[in-house]
Every structure is written in structure tokens, then in C-alpha cells.
Coordinates of all heavy atoms in Angstrom, one line a residue:
V1 N -95.1 -109.7 -127.1 CA -95.4 -110.5 -125.9 C -94.8 -109.8 -124.7 O -93.6 -109.3 -124.7 CB -94.8 -111.9 -126.0 CG1 -95.3 -112.8 -124.9 CG2 -95.2 -112.5 -127.3
S2 N -95.5 -109.7 -123.6 CA -95.0 -109.0 -122.4 C -93.7 -109.5 -121.9 O -92.9 -108.8 -121.4 CB -96.1 -109.0 -121.3 OG -96.3 -110.3 -120.8
G3 N -93.6 -110.9 -121.9 CA -92.4 -111.5 -121.4 C -91.1 -111.1 -122.2 O -90.0 -111.1 -121.7
D4 N -91.3 -110.7 -123.5 CA -90.1 -110.3 -124.3 C -89.7 -108.8 -124.0 O -88.6 -108.5 -124.1 CB -90.5 -110.4 -125.8 CG -90.6 -111.8 -126.2 OD1 -90.0 -112.7 -125.5 OD2 -91.3 -112.1 -127.2
I5 N -90.7 -108.0 -123.8 CA -90.4 -106.5 -123.7 C -90.5 -106.0 -122.3 O -90.2 -104.8 -122.0 CB -91.3 -105.7 -124.6 CG1 -92.8 -105.8 -124.2 CG2 -91.1 -106.2 -126.1 CD1 -93.7 -104.9 -125.0
G6 N -90.9 -106.8 -121.3 CA -91.0 -106.4 -119.9 C -92.1 -105.4 -119.6 O -92.0 -104.7 -118.6
I7 N -93.1 -105.4 -120.4 CA -94.3 -104.5 -120.2 C -95.5 -105.3 -120.5 O -95.6 -106.0 -121.5 CB -94.2 -103.3 -121.2 CG1 -92.9 -102.5 -121.0 CG2 -95.4 -102.4 -120.9 CD1 -92.7 -101.5 -122.1
A8 N -96.5 -105.2 -119.6 CA -97.7 -106.1 -119.7 C -98.9 -105.2 -119.9 O -99.0 -104.1 -119.4 CB -97.8 -107.0 -118.5
K9 N -99.9 -105.7 -120.6 CA -101.2 -105.1 -120.7 C -101.8 -104.9 -119.2 O -101.6 -105.9 -118.4 CB -102.2 -105.9 -121.5 CG -101.8 -106.0 -123.0 CD -102.8 -106.8 -123.8 CE -102.8 -108.3 -123.4 NZ -103.7 -109.1 -124.2
P10 N -102.4 -103.8 -118.9 CA -102.9 -102.8 -119.7 C -102.0 -101.6 -119.9 O -102.5 -100.5 -120.3 CB -104.2 -102.3 -119.0 CG -103.8 -102.5 -117.5 CD -102.9 -103.8 -117.5
D11 N -100.7 -101.7 -119.6 CA -99.8 -100.6 -119.8 C -99.8 -100.1 -121.3 O -99.7 -100.9 -122.2 CB -98.3 -101.1 -119.5 CG -97.4 -99.9 -119.4 OD1 -97.3 -99.1 -120.3 OD2 -96.6 -99.9 -118.4
P12 N -100.1 -98.8 -121.5 CA -100.2 -98.3 -122.8 C -99.0 -98.6 -123.7 O -99.1 -98.7 -124.9 CB -100.4 -96.8 -122.7 CG -100.9 -96.7 -121.3 CD -100.3 -97.8 -120.5
R13 N -97.8 -98.8 -123.1 CA -96.6 -98.9 -123.9 C -96.6 -100.2 -124.7 O -95.9 -100.3 -125.7 CB -95.4 -98.9 -122.9 CG -95.1 -97.5 -122.3 CD -94.0 -97.5 -121.3 NE -94.3 -98.3 -120.2 CZ -93.4 -98.6 -119.2 NH1 -92.2 -98.2 -119.3 NH2 -93.8 -99.4 -118.2
I14 N -97.2 -101.3 -124.2 CA -97.2 -102.5 -125.0 C -98.0 -102.4 -126.2 O -97.7 -102.9 -127.3 CB -97.7 -103.7 -124.1 CG1 -97.4 -105.0 -124.9 CG2 -99.1 -103.6 -123.8 CD1 -97.6 -106.3 -124.0
F15 N -99.1 -101.6 -126.2 CA -99.9 -101.4 -127.3 C -99.2 -100.5 -128.3 O -99.3 -100.7 -129.5 CB -101.3 -100.8 -127.0 CG -102.1 -101.6 -126.1 CD1 -102.3 -101.4 -124.7 CD2 -102.8 -102.7 -126.6 CE1 -103.0 -102.2 -123.9 CE2 -103.6 -103.6 -125.8 CZ -103.7 -103.3 -124.4
R16 N -98.5 -99.5 -127.8 CA -97.8 -98.6 -128.7 C -96.6 -99.3 -129.3 O -96.2 -99.0 -130.5 CB -97.3 -97.4 -127.9 CG -98.5 -96.5 -127.5 CD -98.1 -95.4 -126.5 NE -99.2 -94.6 -126.1 CZ -99.3 -94.0 -124.9 NH1 -98.3 -94.0 -124.1 NH2 -100.4 -93.3 -124.6
A17 N -96.0 -100.3 -128.6 CA -94.9 -101.1 -129.2 C -95.5 -101.9 -130.4 O -94.8 -102.0 -131.4 CB -94.4 -102.0 -128.1
A18 N -96.7 -102.4 -130.2 CA -97.3 -103.1 -131.4 C -97.5 -102.2 -132.6 O -97.2 -102.5 -133.7 CB -98.6 -103.7 -130.9
C19 N -97.9 -100.9 -132.3 CA -98.1 -100.0 -133.4 C -96.8 -99.7 -134.1 O -96.7 -99.5 -135.3 CB -98.8 -98.7 -132.9 SG -100.5 -99.0 -132.3
E20 N -95.7 -99.5 -133.3 CA -94.4 -99.3 -133.8 C -94.0 -100.4 -134.7 O -93.4 -100.2 -135.8 CB -93.4 -99.0 -132.7 CG -93.6 -97.7 -132.0 CD -92.7 -97.6 -130.8 OE1 -91.8 -98.5 -130.6 OE2 -92.9 -96.6 -130.0
R21 N -94.2 -101.6 -134.3 CA -93.8 -102.8 -135.1 C -94.6 -102.9 -136.4 O -94.1 -103.4 -137.4 CB -93.9 -104.0 -134.3 CG -92.9 -104.1 -133.2 CD -92.8 -105.5 -132.5 NE -92.0 -105.4 -131.3 CZ -91.7 -106.5 -130.6 NH1 -92.2 -107.7 -131.0 NH2 -91.0 -106.4 -129.5
L22 N -95.8 -102.4 -136.3 CA -96.7 -102.3 -137.5 C -96.4 -101.1 -138.4 O -97.0 -101.0 -139.5 CB -98.2 -102.4 -137.1 CG -98.7 -103.7 -136.5 CD1 -100.0 -103.5 -135.8 CD2 -98.7 -104.8 -137.5
D23 N -95.6 -100.2 -137.9 CA -95.3 -98.9 -138.5 C -96.6 -98.1 -138.8 O -96.8 -97.6 -139.9 CB -94.5 -99.2 -139.8 CG -93.8 -97.9 -140.4 OD1 -93.5 -97.0 -139.6 OD2 -93.6 -97.9 -141.6
L24 N -97.4 -98.0 -137.8 CA -98.7 -97.3 -137.9 C -98.9 -96.5 -136.7 O -98.5 -96.9 -135.6 CB -99.9 -98.3 -138.1 CG -99.9 -99.1 -139.4 CD1 -101.0 -100.2 -139.3 CD2 -100.2 -98.1 -140.6
P25 N -99.6 -95.4 -136.8 CA -100.0 -94.6 -135.6 C -101.1 -95.3 -134.9 O -101.9 -96.1 -135.5 CB -100.5 -93.3 -136.2 CG -100.9 -93.6 -137.5 CD -100.0 -94.7 -138.0
P26 N -101.3 -95.2 -133.5 CA -102.3 -95.9 -132.8 C -103.7 -95.6 -133.3 O -104.6 -96.5 -133.3 CB -102.2 -95.3 -131.4 CG -100.7 -94.9 -131.3 CD -100.4 -94.4 -132.7
G27 N -104.0 -94.5 -133.9 CA -105.3 -94.1 -134.4 C -105.8 -95.0 -135.6 O -106.9 -94.9 -136.0
E28 N -104.8 -95.7 -136.2 CA -105.1 -96.5 -137.3 C -105.2 -98.0 -137.0 O -105.2 -98.9 -137.9 CB -104.1 -96.3 -138.5 CG -104.2 -94.8 -139.0 CD -103.2 -94.6 -140.1 OE1 -102.4 -95.5 -140.4 OE2 -103.2 -93.5 -140.7
V29 N -105.2 -98.3 -135.7 CA -105.1 -99.7 -135.2 C -106.2 -100.0 -134.3 O -106.5 -99.2 -133.4 CB -103.7 -99.9 -134.5 CG1 -103.6 -101.4 -134.1 CG2 -102.6 -99.6 -135.5
V30 N -106.9 -101.1 -134.5 CA -107.9 -101.7 -133.6 C -107.2 -102.8 -132.7 O -106.4 -103.6 -133.3 CB -109.1 -102.3 -134.4 CG1 -110.0 -103.0 -133.4 CG2 -109.8 -101.2 -135.1
H31 N -107.6 -102.9 -131.4 CA -107.1 -104.0 -130.6 C -108.4 -104.7 -130.1 O -109.3 -104.0 -129.5 CB -106.2 -103.6 -129.5 CG -105.9 -104.7 -128.6 ND1 -104.9 -105.6 -128.9 CD2 -106.4 -105.1 -127.4 CE1 -104.8 -106.6 -127.9 NE2 -105.7 -106.3 -127.0
V32 N -108.4 -106.0 -130.2 CA -109.5 -106.8 -129.7 C -109.0 -107.8 -128.7 O -108.0 -108.5 -128.9 CB -110.2 -107.6 -130.9 CG1 -111.4 -108.4 -130.4 CG2 -110.5 -106.7 -132.0
G33 N -109.7 -107.9 -127.5 CA -109.3 -108.9 -126.5 C -110.5 -109.2 -125.6 O -111.4 -108.4 -125.5
D34 N -110.3 -110.2 -124.8 CA -111.4 -110.7 -123.9 C -111.4 -110.0 -122.6 O -112.4 -110.2 -121.8 CB -111.3 -112.2 -123.7 CG -110.1 -112.6 -122.8 OD1 -108.9 -112.3 -123.3 OD2 -110.3 -113.1 -121.7
R35 N -110.4 -109.2 -122.2 CA -110.4 -108.5 -121.0 C -110.8 -107.1 -121.2 O -110.1 -106.3 -121.9 CB -109.0 -108.6 -120.3 CG -108.5 -110.0 -120.1 CD -108.9 -110.5 -118.7 NE -108.4 -111.8 -118.4 CZ -108.1 -112.3 -117.2 NH1 -108.2 -111.5 -116.2 NH2 -107.7 -113.5 -117.1
L36 N -111.9 -106.7 -120.5 CA -112.3 -105.3 -120.7 C -111.3 -104.3 -120.3 O -111.0 -103.4 -121.1 CB -113.6 -105.1 -119.9 CG -114.2 -103.7 -119.9 CD1 -114.5 -103.2 -121.3 CD2 -115.4 -103.6 -119.0

């Protein structure tokens, strides 16, 4: 959540933070959302 880590979408760092928590490289992760 952006409020927890101080980084909001679309900043690439929030997506990479999710990958780190999943212990996966970005290329193995899909992200789905309503904002293009």
C-alpha cells in the first residue's frame, strides 16, 4: 500500500516492492488494474 511505503503508483518502485515481497523477479509477475 502506498501509504505504508511512501511510494504511489505509477512509480516503478511500488511494483518492484511487491515483487520483492513475493520473492520473484518482475518478469515473472503480472499486474492487473483499472488505471491504464
Side-chain angles (χ1 to χ4, degrees):
V1 188
S2 66
D4 291 337
I5 65 175
I7 303 167
K9 296 180 292 184
D11 192 310
R13 292 175 294 172
I14 192 170
F15 298 106
R16 291 171 186 153
C19 293
E20 289 173 5
R21 295 191 188 182
L22 293 167
D23 195 27
L24 291 169
E28 295 181 355
V29 181
V30 171
H31 175 79
V32 183
D34 70 295
R35 300 269 181 151
L36 174 58

